[in-house]
Amino acid sequence: SREAAVANGAEDNPGYTNFRNEKEKDMLKEYLVLCNNNEFEKADDLLKHVLESQLSRLKHYVGQYNHILCLERNNGIPHADIEFNFDYNKHNEVLQAVQNYSDCNRIPYYNYEIRTTKQDDAMLSCCHGRDAMWIDFQAKADVSKKYFGEMECALKHIGYRKHWAKGLDNTDPTYLVQQFPRVAEFVKLMKSFDPTGKFRNKQAESWFEVMDTLLNKNEAEEEIAKIMNKIKPELMEIQAISDEKKDAYCSEEKNETLCLES
């Protein structure tokens, strides 16, 4: 509870809690300019001051959910973000992969966010069937495409789902759809309840079309596989007969050749 958090030393924030105050935001703007000019030593030194200031304000606080870290971010430094969802049991592997990437690359923005949520049973929920860990990466728009693509490659082997409103233009639709075990059931219900797309916007419609196309393709491939498995014994029998005839022909041809040589 809020009272328990305060009793444990948290600062009680009754109003909005900004992720960055005005001084921190000005320092961060300067940090980005220095990075763009490849003055990384000065940039990193300035970033330490930003983090020290934030840590002094945000180390341990409690407040109303919709008042925390939202006001300034909506009126702050514009950025793009992409958020991945993982099985919580793989959190160490995820963090190690991010660390490995960061050891070899300079990330274009100074922070990323980590959160956790309990599992649920919603068909297209990223938390379907498993407790989840989320990690959100941010970057200025002009460098986000390359950075987000690299993070996808670094994390894909672990198996992620993606936040449906963050970075979906930077993704492999086939891979993404395969991560949701009830997607086929969802598409079937959507066709039934909303056949004309009255309750879908353009983005939702585009993803519905992708899902439907991929599922139809998968169904076709599965049907072909079933047919092939069904007729496989017959094909093997035909192949065996063909091999016997081939062997018999070769044997006769060999005998004829020997006769001619004699």
Side-chain angles (χ1 to χ4, degrees):
S1 69
R2 191 166 184 154
E3 292 74 17
V6 173
N8 287 328
E11 180 181 345
D12 188 8
N13 289 322
Y16 285 102
T17 299
N18 291 341
F19 186 53
R20 292 178 289 261
N21 60 28
E22 287 301 318
K23 181 181 178 181
E24 293 160 359
K25 188 164 68 173
D26 288 341
M27 285 193 290
L28 185 55
K29 287 179 179 178
E30 185 180 350
Y31 162 82
L32 292 172
V33 171
L34 291 170
C35 288
N36 287 337
N37 294 332
N38 295 325
E39 298 180 66
F40 298 128
E41 188 172 341
K42 290 182 179 179
D44 290 346
D45 184 61
L46 184 60
L47 183 58
K48 290 178 183 178
H49 293 295
V50 176
L51 296 175
E52 287 170 357
S53 177
Q54 287 185 303
L55 187 60
S56 67
R57 293 188 305 108
L58 306 173
K59 185 176 181 180
H60 193 189
Y61 65 91
V62 63
Q64 186 174 318
Y65 176 77
N66 62 328
H67 287 176
I68 297 298
L69 307 186
C70 60
L71 180 64
E72 187 276 336
R73 293 185 66 193
N74 288 339
N75 299 279
I77 299 171
H79 63 267
D81 63 346
I82 188 170
E83 189 166 22
F84 301 91
N85 174 290
F86 299 90
D87 184 331
Y88 180 79
N89 291 326
K90 297 181 178 180
H91 63 276
N92 285 330
E93 189 177 355
V94 173
L95 294 175
Q96 186 60 60
V98 174
Q99 181 65 58
N100 292 342
Y101 175 88
S102 301
D103 287 343
C104 302
N105 302 273
R106 186 179 180 86
I107 62 174
Y109 210 58
Y110 82 105
N111 70 304
Y112 49 83
E113 300 170 16
I114 297 172
R115 61 190 176 101
T116 59
T117 48
K118 295 292 290 182
Q119 67 175 302
D120 59 43
D121 60 358
M123 292 181 186
L124 292 190
S125 169
C126 290
C127 304
H128 176 82
R130 68 188 191 189
D131 292 342
M133 167 197 172
W134 303 76
I135 184 164
D136 180 281
F137 298 97
Q138 304 168 3
K140 296 282 284 182
D142 59 339
V143 297
S144 63
K145 189 78 173 178
K146 178 176 180 295
Y147 176 46
F148 293 166
E150 290 174 353
M151 294 316 303
E152 283 199 339
C153 291
L155 298 167
K156 192 172 185 178
H157 70 282
I158 302 173
Y160 58 73
R161 297 169 184 170
K162 289 180 71 174
H163 192 299
W164 285 105
K166 296 181 180 180
L168 283 178
D169 56 330
N170 212 101
T171 194
D172 174 3
T174 302
Y175 175 84
L176 193 61
V177 168
Q178 290 171 346
Q179 307 310 307
F180 294 88
R182 298 184 67 187
V183 66
E185 187 179 352
F186 173 83
V187 170
K188 184 177 180 180
L189 286 172
M190 182 186 287
K191 284 183 177 181
S192 173
F193 284 99
D194 187 21
T196 62
K198 182 177 182 179
F199 298 101
R200 298 194 292 272
N201 58 26
K202 289 183 178 180
Q203 185 180 35
E205 181 63 25
S206 66
W207 271 99
F208 168 71
E209 291 175 357
V210 168
M211 291 177 190
D212 197 32
T213 299
L214 291 172
L215 289 170
N216 286 335
K217 179 183 177 183
N218 290 341
E219 287 177 3
E221 291 175 348
E222 289 174 3
E223 190 62 31
I224 291 173
K226 287 179 182 178
I227 294 172
M228 293 301 295
N229 287 331
K230 186 176 181 180
I231 65 174
K232 189 175 180 179
E234 298 176 11
L235 292 175
M236 292 178 67
E237 185 178 345
I238 293 171
Q239 183 65 47
I241 293 172
S242 175
D243 290 342
E244 288 177 5
K245 289 184 176 180
K246 181 179 178 181
D247 291 341
Y249 173 78
C250 290
S251 179
E252 290 176 4
E253 189 177 56
K254 184 177 180 180
N255 289 337
E256 289 177 4
T257 302
L258 289 172
C259 290
L260 289 173
E261 288 177 352
S262 298

